[in-house]
Amino acid sequence: MPLQIITVPCRTDNYAYILHAPLTGLTAVVDAPEATPIIDTLNERGWQLDFILITHHHNDHIDAVAELRSKYGATVIGAEADAHRLPDLDLRVHNGDTFSLGNVKVNVIDVPGHTLGHIAFHIPSVKALFTADSLMALGCGRLFEGTPAQMLTSLRTLAALPGDTQVYSGHEYATTNAAFALTVEPGNRNLQARAQKIKEARDRGEPTVPSLLSEEKKTNPFLRADSAEIRQVLGMEDAPALEVFTEVRQRRNSF
């Protein structure tokens, strides 16, 4: 196994992800919402922490960076474009950059929308995509800084990756996202089945992440602006995809 990926629930609904390469012993975390759950997970496995990867500047993704850096001396990696509002970065990255976690290659993808400096991390060798608050399980992040056009472009960029990519997003929002998705595409049988699986997983106390990108494309309304049913439900049969996407996002905001 080239990389172990551990999902770590943090705060009330955040996720951090610990990545461990058995061959080199190197360990990274993607986002740092809360120190204690991350430290406890590392201690349980006897791992140190070598890298902290940051997707965006919101406090619920960076609050524990200082404590983790102080404890482990980890290298902090984040977007050059957001360096002015992130913790001090040891490595500043841009769209299209590739960096290494030991023998594991990581690709950087700009995904503005939720914030202007949001980035995602794609690890092709293990078919893993860390999207935080851009593409989410059955949803996408609110547009706090970017425009609908920016977010739609970001989501299309991510959706173009291989369908067997596992999407590791930043929050446990799938239950509400599923309920909303069914209001705009109630006849989608793939969505109906997924909503049931989500309910069962949450009833067992299990995370709904990661999710398959191919499944997101079949069920996530923010990737389905061309769906005939969504367009009919919205009364926007002939509207451009951006207008459909914008309407779906506005409805989700008030759901």
Side-chain angles (χ1 to χ4, degrees), residues 96-109:
D97 282 354
T98 298
F99 61 90
S100 297
L101 305 177
N103 61 341
V104 177
K105 300 292 185 182
V106 183
N107 298 330
V108 178
I109 305 172

Side-chain angles (χ1 to χ4, degrees), residues 27-246:
T27 304
V29 66
V30 180
D31 286 337
E34 184 182 9
T36 298
I38 295 170
I39 293 170
D40 287 349
T41 302
L42 293 168
N43 286 343
E44 288 167 7
R45 290 162 174 78
W47 298 342
Q48 294 297 304
L49 184 65
D50 303 288
F51 300 95
I52 302 169
L53 281 55
I54 302 173
T55 60
H56 65 294
H57 72 87
H58 285 160
N59 287 339
D60 62 332
H61 293 258
I62 64 171
D63 269 355
V65 170
E67 183 174 347
L68 294 173
R69 189 210 301 261
S70 175
K71 181 176 179 62
Y72 297 103
T75 297
V76 180
I77 302 172
E80 166 76 32
D82 248 6
H84 61 290
R85 52 184 182 175
L86 292 173
D88 290 340
L89 299 176
D90 300 300
L91 177 62
R92 301 182 177 195
V93 294
H94 308 80
N95 184 57
D97 282 354
T98 298
F99 61 90
S100 297
L101 305 177
N103 61 341
V104 177
K105 300 292 185 182
V106 183
N107 298 330
V108 178
I109 305 172
D110 278 350
V111 285
H114 181 64
T115 68
L116 291 177
H118 200 307
I119 57 176
F121 299 103
H122 181 218
I123 306 179
S125 62
V126 293
K127 302 177 181 178
L129 175 65
F130 298 90
T131 57
D133 296 359
S134 54
L135 175 60
M136 308 181 82
L138 280 176
C140 74
R142 285 178 179 264
L143 306 182
F144 288 121
E145 297 174 10
T147 65
Q150 286 176 313
M151 181 62 97
L152 182 57
T153 297
S154 295
L155 295 180
R156 285 176 167 172
T157 297
L158 298 176
L161 295 171
D164 59 354
T165 301
Q166 295 278 353
V167 179
Y168 295 82
S169 51
H171 291 271
E172 185 53 69
Y173 291 164
T175 299
T176 304
N177 285 345
F180 168 74
L182 285 166
T183 69
V184 295
E185 200 173 20
N188 183 333
R189 292 189 178 183
N190 291 313
L191 174 57
Q192 294 167 6
R194 187 176 180 195
Q196 181 60 33
K197 289 180 182 177
I198 286 169
K199 180 182 184 305
E200 293 169 358
R202 295 308 294 155
D203 286 347
R204 295 190 298 267
E206 298 173 359
T208 61
V209 294
S211 59
L212 265 179
L213 183 57
S214 59
E215 190 170 34
E216 293 298 334
K217 292 165 74 170
K218 293 176 183 176
T219 57
N220 187 328
F222 297 101
L223 300 181
R224 297 179 58 75
D226 294 327
S227 160
E229 184 181 8
I230 290 178
R231 287 169 167 268
Q232 183 178 32
V233 168
L234 300 182
M236 302 179 72
E237 288 89 340
D238 300 319
L242 178 57
E243 290 183 15
V244 176
F245 173 84
T246 301

